Amino acid sequence: MSSPKMSLFSPEKFLADVKHVCQMFGASYSEEITKRMIEVYAASFHRGAIQWRVTDRPGDAVNYRFFERERINIIQPAIDANILDAHNTMIPLFQAWSSLFGEAPIQLCDFDAEKGLVKAWLYLSGYRQLDDILDAPGIPDTISRHREAFHSLNLKIVRYVAVDFYAHTINLYFRAAGPLSYEAATKYVALADSPPPLQKDYNDMIKFLNPEGFAFSVTIHAGTGLIGRVAIYAIKLPTGESPVIAQRLTQLFEEVPSYDEEEFNGVAWSYGKSGKSYMKAERSYCGELVRLLRSWNSDLSS
C-alpha cells in the first residue's frame, strides 16, 4: 500500500505567498528575515506542517509556524544563526519543559513575517498533569502561584506549552472538559480580569467547540505573574462553516492558499483585561496539518 500523499514545501512559493498575504492584510513583511528563517530551519519546513495565523485587529502581524514530526533542538540553531540572544530569559524555561517526560516533547517554532522567530512551542506528546509542568526545575513562583486557581477550574491537563521571546510570556494550553457551560466560560475569562463573553460569542462557542474537550490557553508574564490573556479554541472547523467573524478572518479562510489535501481552518476567542477581546484564526498551508494533529489525538471540532 502506498503512503498518503503530502503537500510539499517550496521555499520559492512560500516566499511569494507570505509577501502576498502580508500585502492582503496590510502587515509588515521582511523578505530577508523570512528567507533567513527558512534557511535556519530548512529541514523542519520541509518535513513539518506549516500553518498561518492572523487576528481580526487591523495592522496586526501575519504569523506562520511549523509543526515538527521529529524531536529536534530549535534553540541552538537560532543562537548559532544570531536570530535569538543566548541570554534571553525565556530559554531556561523552555529547556526545563523540553527535558520533561524523558525528553518526549516535540519543539515547534512560531514566526512573525517581519521579525522572524518570536515564539517556541512544545507539544508535550500526550496528556500531561499541570503539576508536572509547574514543578519542573527552575519554573518561577510567578507561574506556579496560579496552581490553585487552575485546579479550582478543573484545568489539570496540559497539551502544549510555549514561550514568547519578545513579550517574555509563557502559554499553557489546557485540555478543558466539554461541553462548555456559560458559567465555566465566565470563570475562564475572569482569569484575565475580563468580563463574561458576549452571548453571541458563547453561542458560537457551543456550536463549534468539540463537546468532549477543547483547547484553552492562558498567557502569563514570566516576570510579574500577570495573566494577560486567555483564549478558547475551536480547532478545525467543519468544512464551509465558521462562527461570525470579521472580514480579515474570512479573507484568511477564503483567499489565503492552503495546499493540504484536507484543509484546516480554526478560530480562537481571546480575552484580556477590561474586555479587550479579539479573535484570531489559523489555516493550514502545507505538510498535511490535519493528518499530523489527528496523529497527536488533538481535540478537533470536525
Side-chain angles (χ1 to χ4, degrees), residues 184-204:
T186 297
K187 290 180 178 180
Y188 288 163
V189 304
L191 288 169
D193 198 21
S194 170
L198 297 176
Q199 187 64 46
K200 67 177 182 64
D201 292 334
Y202 173 69
N203 291 343
D204 276 341

Side-chain angles (χ1 to χ4, degrees), residues 178-237:
L180 177 67
S181 68
Y182 190 73
E183 178 184 7
T186 297
K187 290 180 178 180
Y188 288 163
V189 304
L191 288 169
D193 198 21
S194 170
L198 297 176
Q199 187 64 46
K200 67 177 182 64
D201 292 334
Y202 173 69
N203 291 343
D204 276 341
M205 290 178 195
I206 58 175
K207 179 178 180 181
F208 290 103
L209 294 178
N210 186 322
E212 295 183 2
F214 57 91
F216 172 72
S217 72
V218 176
T219 303
I220 307 172
H221 191 278
T224 66
L226 176 69
I227 296 179
R229 302 208 70 80
V230 300
I232 298 169
Y233 290 78
I235 300 175
K236 192 184 179 301
L237 301 169

Side-chain angles (χ1 to χ4, degrees), residues 128-136 147-148 151 156 158:
R128 304 300 185 179
Q129 294 295 320
L130 169 67
D131 288 346
D132 291 335
I133 305 303
L134 299 184
D135 291 339
R147 184 192 312 262
E148 294 308 316
H151 276 285
K156 300 177 181 179
V158 182

